[in-house]
Amino acid sequence: MFEKSKALKKLKKTPAYKEALEHKRDKEGRVKINVGIKDANQLFSPFAYKSFELLDSGVTEYIDMNEAQIPIQEEISLDIYTEEKTTNEEKKRIRRAVKRHYAENIVTLKRKVRRKTWAGVTFSVLGLLLLLAEAFLYAKVANFYLDTIMAVIGWLFLWDGMEVFLWDRSDLRREEIKSYRLMNAKVHIRQYSKKIQKEYGIGEFEDEENE
């Protein structure tokens, strides 16, 4: 056990571990999330077609996975690199879709928080009422079995209520903060530079565009 602990401490001091914890930042200090795609259409769900600008689930999962590794107090820059040239209209469409996606997430999460809050209050009140009723019956009737059943059910309701307030709502609040951060992220859409193109061998492209 001690040998494993020493080995783990040693591994944490390695350059690879320290490098993995570092975040790349833009000129304004925002932590960068890099997304690489072939063209602008790859960002959108094929089921939405052109009538509704819905981000592809694979793209949002990738962005959310990277966001989870960034400290909650940091601002985010979403840097999207494309192989093919992107028009100004496509750039506007991408930015609009990103903001819309996370804005809709916020609306959904707020509804969930309200439902969880009401559920927590309901469970807590029922639990307290059952425990008060159990105490009253214990003083009047002193029925061991009835007393035990009411006490168990009362504590279960009370515990469920506390679980909603302490854990469920906390997780939803964290999701809400994530969506706010990504909705307000600075979104850059650029074409791969010649340097990156040569590194990855993805073809010949023009120099990276300045926005």
Side-chain angles (χ1 to χ4, degrees), residues 55 95-111 175-176 178-184:
L55 292 179
R95 292 191 181 99
R96 187 165 59 245
V98 170
K99 291 186 180 298
R100 181 171 184 169
H101 173 81
Y102 289 105
E104 290 177 349
N105 274 2
I106 291 167
V107 172
T108 302
L109 287 166
K110 284 184 178 296
R111 289 172 182 166
E175 286 293 312
E176 192 175 351
K178 177 199 75 175
S179 293
Y180 268 111
R181 284 211 298 176
L182 290 169
M183 184 185 69
N184 292 299

Side-chain angles (χ1 to χ4, degrees), residues 11-211:
L11 289 169
K12 285 182 178 180
K13 295 178 181 179
T14 58
Y17 177 74
K18 293 178 181 178
E19 184 180 349
L21 294 178
E22 293 177 356
H23 299 291
K24 294 182 179 180
R25 299 176 181 271
D26 63 10
K27 294 179 181 179
E28 297 177 355
R30 296 185 179 89
V31 178
K32 297 173 66 175
I33 295 178
N34 294 325
V35 181
I37 56 175
K38 184 175 179 62
D39 56 44
N41 289 328
Q42 197 174 357
L43 277 173
F44 301 97
S45 171
F47 304 104
Y49 196 52
K50 295 182 180 180
S51 60
F52 182 64
E53 294 171 347
L54 181 67
L55 292 179
D56 183 77
S57 59
V59 174
T60 56
E61 285 177 12
Y62 173 79
I63 293 172
D64 293 349
M65 178 186 69
N66 282 273
E67 186 277 338
Q69 301 171 17
I70 300 171
I72 202 165
Q73 71 274 10
E74 298 281 1
E75 293 185 351
I76 291 173
S77 170
L78 189 58
D79 289 23
I80 301 171
Y81 291 89
T82 62
E83 292 185 24
E84 298 179 4
K85 192 172 182 178
T86 308
T87 65
N88 288 332
E89 188 60 36
E90 286 174 326
K91 290 179 181 180
K92 290 178 182 178
R93 183 186 174 205
I94 290 169
R95 292 191 181 99
R96 187 165 59 245
V98 170
K99 291 186 180 298
R100 181 171 184 169
H101 173 81
Y102 289 105
E104 290 177 349
N105 274 2
I106 291 167
V107 172
T108 302
L109 287 166
K110 284 184 178 296
R111 289 172 182 166
K112 288 183 178 179
V113 169
R114 284 198 294 269
R115 287 199 296 268
K116 287 291 183 180
T117 301
W118 277 110
V121 170
T122 302
F123 289 151
S124 298
V125 170
L126 284 174
L128 288 171
L129 289 174
L130 283 168
L131 289 175
L132 288 172
E134 177 267 331
F136 177 79
L137 287 174
Y138 182 77
K140 295 292 183 180
V141 180
N143 186 310
F144 174 78
Y145 296 104
L146 180 62
D147 175 68
T148 302
I149 291 171
M150 291 187 68
V152 169
I153 295 175
W155 280 111
L156 282 174
F157 272 113
L158 192 60
W159 173 251
D160 282 343
M162 295 302 295
E163 186 177 20
V164 168
F165 282 113
L166 295 177
W167 285 282
D168 294 352
R169 289 179 78 255
S170 177
D171 291 341
L172 289 172
R173 288 297 186 191
R174 174 64 182 82
E175 286 293 312
E176 192 175 351
I177 291 171
K178 177 199 75 175
S179 293
Y180 268 111
R181 284 211 298 176
L182 290 169
M183 184 185 69
N184 292 299
K186 193 77 172 179
V187 181
H188 301 282
I189 302 99
R190 302 186 178 97
Q191 194 173 6
Y192 280 116
S193 65
K194 288 183 178 179
K195 181 180 178 182
I196 297 176
Q197 172 263 316
K198 288 178 181 178
E199 282 184 24
Y200 292 95
I202 56 176
E204 295 184 1
F205 303 100
E206 298 177 4
D207 289 329
E208 183 171 300
E209 294 181 341
N210 293 320
E211 293 188 324

